[in-house]
């Protein structure tokens, strides 16, 4: 049945308020307006950033909301003026838009488009309306995407066509977790061959950092996690050794300084804890070490400036510093040509309606990425 121009009724996982399970509801998805694209979602990963909203850590968030931001799908229909995708195209929705016009898009050294909803959390399209409703109420979107739904509408600047040959139930992790971790190593830190790296937190983000460090030619990649069950996979992906801070009396940065002759060249915080962010900085070599903060936290971080004065660098990045529309198609091509393999990141697959089970697996520390299939 041709659905172009019509409201689509479909299933979505709605979060009505924080600290509640997601609720599978029938929603209405309006047709795309000018410069918008309606997508049939085929697969979506579960990321800790979705969980931060469920747990109520993101104070500005508006409810009800449809979470999910690590998806892949097929264009169902397009609004007037859309030129870069057409119905039937395989696409990835983009958590960082690329409008191509703002200072952020023109900045060769950054990737933060000013249309991004990170930190603002308006949850609406640029015209301040939503295409999603449930039981007569407006439903907000998450990070310009919302993928825990059979259909979603995004703006053209928040979606990109990808190679037709890719499997969408793998490519979806390029929509957030993989690109975020991998790019933090290769783009943001710019890990150099022969260097020493430490990665704090070995979830989907941390393991993707490990993949990036290995491809960049790091000689030593040390994984740190309080859950030792994560070590086997980290080693499979390139970690040369793994440490559990619970097994040491001394603070973990002191252990790392000893192991690495005074500190690593690079460190990555992939958890979202201010105390570990400071440990990550302290683990690097004082004269020239670089730390990249990737984990998201609403709490403040504090440390003595002397820690940086000697020559350390502190950086942060969203989506691995990748300009989304420019870079995602290439990442998908790199997946097809087996530059990297994402199978190890996807530990579980579930039908979309079992989304809450996917979050349980994340809480229990059993999953890296659960991919929900529609
Ligand atoms: P995850 O929960 O799968 O992984 C976190 C890992 O950290 C787990 O393996 C934990 O066992 C481990 N951990 C927890 N506490 C500690 C501790 N004290 N010391 C050592 N290890 C610990 O999450 P994820 O990989 O999906 O996401 C990680 C963070 O990255 C999270 O804060 C998420 O919101 C953020 C993120 N940032 C971006 C970005 O663009 N900057 C994108 C996506 C996710
Ligand atoms: Zn994410």
């Amino acid at each position: 049945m041709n659905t172009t121009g019509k409201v689509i009724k479909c299933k979505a996982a709605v979060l009505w308020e924080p600290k509640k399970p997601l609720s599978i509801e029938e929603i209405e998805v309006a047709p795309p307006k000018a410069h918008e694209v309606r997508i049939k979602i085929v697969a979506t990963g579960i990321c800790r950033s979705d969980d931060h909203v469920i747990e109520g850590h993101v104070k500005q968030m508006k409810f009800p909301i449809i979470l999910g931001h690590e998806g892949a799908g097929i264009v169902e229909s397009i609004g007037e003026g859309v030129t870069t995708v057409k119905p039937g195209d395989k696409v990835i929705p983009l958590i960082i838009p690329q409008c191509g016009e703002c200072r952020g898009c023109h900045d060769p050294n950054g990737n933060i488009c000013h249309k991004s909803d990170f930190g603002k959390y308006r949850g609406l399209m640029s015209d301040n309306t939503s295409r999603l409703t449930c039981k007569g109420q407006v439903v907000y979107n998450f990070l310009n995407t919302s993928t825990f739904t059979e259909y979603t509408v995004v703006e053209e600047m928040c979606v990109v066509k990808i190679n037709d040959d890719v499997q969408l139930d793998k490519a979806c992790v390029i929509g957030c977790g993989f690109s975020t971790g991998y790019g933090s190593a290769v783009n943001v830190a710019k890990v150099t061959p022969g260097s020493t790296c430490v990665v704090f937190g070995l979830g989907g983000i941390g393991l993707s950092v490990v993949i990036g460090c290995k491809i960049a030619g790091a000689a030593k990649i040390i994984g740190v996690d309080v859950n030792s069950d994560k070590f086997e996979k980290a080693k499979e992906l390139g970690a040369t050794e793994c440490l559990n801070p619970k097994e040491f009396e001394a603070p973990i940065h002191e252990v790392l300084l000893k192991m690495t002759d005074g500190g690593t060249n690079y460190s990555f915080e992939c958890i979202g804890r201010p105390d570990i962010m400071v440990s990550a900085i302290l683990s690097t070599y004082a004269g020239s070490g670089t730390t990249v903060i990737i984990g998201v936290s609403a709490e403040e971080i504090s440390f003595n400036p002397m820690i940086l004065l000697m020559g350390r660098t502190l950086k942060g990045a969203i989506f691995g510093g990748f300009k989304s529309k420019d870079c995602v198609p290439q990442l998908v091509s790199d997946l097809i040509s087996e530059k990297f393999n994402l199978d190890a990141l996807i530990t579980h697959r579930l039908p979309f309606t079992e989304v809450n089970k996917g979050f349980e697996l994340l809480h229990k520390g059993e999953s890296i990425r659960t991919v929900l299939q529609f």
Side-chain angles (χ1 to χ4, degrees):
M1 194 184 74
N2 188 358
T3 44
T4 307
K6 296 179 186 147
V7 171
I8 292 180
K9 288 192 179 193
C10 67
K11 277 195 205 132
V14 177
L15 181 65
W16 291 97
E17 54 184 305
K19 300 187 203 292
K20 288 277 161 66
L22 303 183
S23 175
I24 303 293
E25 307 277 4
E26 185 179 84
I27 64 157
E28 297 83 36
V29 183
K33 291 192 182 173
H35 307 291
E36 296 177 356
V37 178
R38 189 158 61 183
I39 305 167
K40 184 181 196 322
I41 300 292
V42 172
T44 179
I46 293 180
C47 171
R48 182 62 75 170
S49 300
D50 299 305
D51 191 56
H52 287 323
V53 180
I54 300 177
E55 294 297 316
H57 298 157
V58 190
K59 299 290 173 231
Q60 311 98 305
M61 208 55 83
K62 298 191 196 86
F63 298 89
I65 187 168
I66 295 176
L67 297 175
H69 59 281
E70 192 177 88
I74 294 171
V75 174
E76 174 270 338
S77 62
I78 55 175
E80 213 180 299
V82 170
T83 57
T84 57
V85 298
K86 60 179 187 315
D89 282 352
K90 286 188 178 174
V91 290
I92 289 186
L94 304 170
I95 55 172
I96 293 280
Q98 192 178 342
C99 76
E101 286 163 13
C102 70
R103 180 173 173 181
C105 287
H106 283 133
D107 177 1
N109 301 313
N111 69 335
I112 304 301
C113 171
H114 291 199
K115 295 278 177 68
S116 159
D117 209 26
F118 263 99
K120 300 180 203 145
Y121 306 116
R122 295 165 55 252
L124 296 169
M125 310 303 263
S126 290
D127 69 356
N128 281 323
T129 61
S130 173
R131 301 294 160 265
L132 312 169
T133 50
C134 181
K135 297 178 180 164
Q137 272 193 61
V138 162
V139 179
Y140 293 93
N141 71 32
F142 183 45
L143 299 180
N144 302 85
T145 51
S146 286
T147 58
F148 292 166
T149 170
E150 290 174 322
Y151 288 86
T152 192
V153 180
V154 303
E155 292 179 63
E156 188 179 11
M157 64 182 170
C158 303
V159 61
V160 72
K161 176 176 162 42
I162 56 171
N163 192 314
D164 228 14
D165 298 335
V166 81
Q167 248 178 278
L168 295 178
D169 61 357
K170 285 187 188 178
C172 59
V173 299
I174 291 177
C176 179
F178 174 71
S179 310
T180 296
Y182 177 73
S184 296
V186 302
N187 273 337
V188 185
K190 296 193 168 52
V191 168
T192 48
S195 60
T196 302
C197 303
V198 57
V199 182
F200 291 83
L202 300 171
I205 306 293
L207 291 177
S208 301
V209 172
V210 170
I211 295 174
C213 293
K214 181 162 183 201
I215 289 180
K220 216 175 202 186
I221 306 169
I222 306 167
V224 176
D225 203 296
V226 287
N227 178 354
S228 302
D229 293 346
K230 306 271 172 143
F231 294 170
E232 192 184 328
K233 187 143 279 184
K235 286 183 180 160
E236 185 190 314
L237 289 171
T240 49
E241 52 224 294
C242 289
L243 307 178
N244 186 334
K246 289 184 187 160
E247 289 168 10
F248 296 88
E249 297 252 315
I252 198 67
H253 70 268
E254 286 179 14
V255 176
L256 285 157
L257 293 183
K258 274 198 191 133
M259 274 175 72
T260 58
D261 189 27
T264 63
N265 302 111
Y266 303 97
S267 70
F268 301 87
E269 203 277 356
C270 315
I271 304 163
R273 289 185 52 135
D275 57 336
I276 310 292
M277 294 174 186
V278 177
S279 294
I281 304 169
L282 289 170
S283 313
T284 62
Y285 173 60
S288 63
T290 297
T291 298
V292 182
I293 288 181
I294 312 166
V296 175
S297 169
E299 289 162 52
E300 299 206 339
I301 161 172
S302 107
F303 55 86
N304 188 312
M306 190 57 84
I307 293 176
L308 294 183
L309 273 180
M310 310 271 282
R312 290 184 173 107
T313 301
L314 177 59
K315 294 182 152 189
I318 285 176
F319 200 55
F322 283 118
K323 277 196 175 357
S324 59
K325 258 192 153 170
D326 289 349
C327 299
V328 164
Q330 182 60 47
L331 289 167
V332 170
S333 299
D334 290 345
L335 171 64
I336 293 171
S337 65
E338 296 178 3
K339 180 171 179 184
F340 41 73
N341 184 333
L342 303 181
D343 293 352
L345 298 181
I346 301 169
T347 52
H348 297 76
R349 291 182 184 277
L350 287 174
F352 155 65
T353 48
E354 291 182 33
V355 55
N356 289 312
K357 193 170 165 201
F359 279 98
E360 267 169 47
L361 290 165
L362 181 69
H363 291 159
K364 285 197 253 164
E366 288 177 17
S367 59
I368 299 299
R369 279 303 196 251
T370 295
V371 167
L372 304 171
Q373 288 168 311
F374 290 78

